[in-house]
Amino acid sequence: MKKIIVANWKMCGLPEMAEDWGEKVVSRLPEILRELAEVVVCPPAPLLTYMKNTLAGSQVYVGAQDCHPQAEGAYTGDISARLLKAVGCSHVIVGHSERRSLHGETDGEVSAKAAQAIKNGLVPIICIGETQKQRENGETIAVINRQVEVSIPDDAKAGNFILAYEPVWAIGSGNLPTMDEIKQVHNAIITSVSRRTKVDIGQVMVLYGGSVKPDNAAGIMRVEGVAGVLVGGASLKADEFCKIVAGASASD
Ligand code: PGA
């Protein structure tokens, strides 16, 4: 199965960077993109159409970083899943820990956002993960189970959603769980998602995110239960990101 590699630009990037990034990624990786990796780039919302045009005819997908839980209405500054679909997005990240902590998003809202995404033909990338404190208290699996239970909408079916395990303490810190820990947590998530959605264990897709870099990506993608990676900081530079995508060649 192809590895899924998602670039999350967060609030970084300008049109000229998008153009340069798109050209480099598309010209350097055609074989890997065809055979080994599915790449999704999630730039800030005003760059979505621009990115879509820059990547026209390529195999790189464009995704958004958030959507609103309602279909449309008086929500100044927010963006509907329907509009994201209309401008060419295929995926949308929901429930990223920065949105949960900085915008107070709850698991219930994350579920409603994911439901809107699915309803409009977008694949939600539903982020979950424990904080440093929860990890220290040995609560990782309990936290994950609770987030899975509430953050995944009822209409989740095989192939229409993706999970991303992002330990909050690993994001942007350079610290990573061990490969064994990643394996354990991913397997726990897969079991829990399968129980919650009735999707077969083999069809539950869970990405790992948090300090993924060119020198650790291939190893992470080889871990059992890891369907791909969600990359923040290291996705901004096309050179680094291409090396990460190339890591997919080392996995099955
Ligand atoms: P990072 O971010 O790769 O910079 O740690 C990952 C993320 O927040 O999705």
Side-chain angles (χ1 to χ4, degrees), residues 6-146:
V6 182
N8 174 14
W9 283 13
K10 309 192 180 190
M11 201 176 73
C12 304
L14 290 168
E16 49 273 28
M17 171 187 154
E19 192 167 334
D20 179 64
W21 190 98
E23 276 168 13
K24 283 187 178 145
V25 170
V26 169
S27 67
R28 290 185 196 174
L29 301 169
E31 206 172 310
I32 291 171
L33 291 174
R34 199 168 46 245
E35 290 169 15
L36 299 163
E38 194 170 292
V39 167
V40 185
V41 55
C42 303
L47 286 181
L48 288 170
T49 306
Y50 192 88
M51 199 57 165
K52 188 75 192 159
N53 293 338
T54 301
L55 294 169
S58 80
Q59 301 167 77
V60 178
Y61 296 93
V62 175
Q65 298 176 13
D66 184 39
C67 67
H68 196 272
Q70 299 294 329
E72 67 174 0
Y75 303 104
T76 302
D78 284 313
I79 303 175
S80 69
R82 188 175 173 200
L83 173 59
L84 294 175
K85 181 69 181 180
V87 299
C89 289
S90 53
H91 297 70
V92 58
I93 298 170
V94 294
H96 189 282
S97 73
E98 285 149 17
R99 300 230 33 112
R100 288 176 184 264
S101 65
L102 302 172
H103 296 262
E105 283 184 13
T106 62
D107 287 323
E109 281 166 316
V110 174
S111 169
K113 288 178 176 206
Q116 275 298 330
I118 291 171
K119 199 167 162 196
N120 287 283
L122 296 167
V123 175
I125 301 166
I126 305 168
C127 300
I128 58 174
E130 82 286 2
T131 62
Q132 174 75 38
K133 191 148 190 273
Q134 290 165 333
R135 172 181 159 89
E136 281 162 10
N137 291 343
E139 295 168 357
T140 299
I141 302 298
V143 168
I144 291 302
N145 284 340
R146 198 172 60 231

Side-chain angles (χ1 to χ4, degrees), residues 8 10 96 166 170-172 210-211 230-233:
N8 174 14
K10 309 192 180 190
H96 189 282
E166 296 208 300
I171 294 175
S211 294
L230 175 50
V231 191

Side-chain angles (χ1 to χ4, degrees), residues 214-225:
D215 62 356
N216 60 27
I220 294 170
M221 284 192 274
R222 271 197 300 271
V223 174
E224 183 195 305

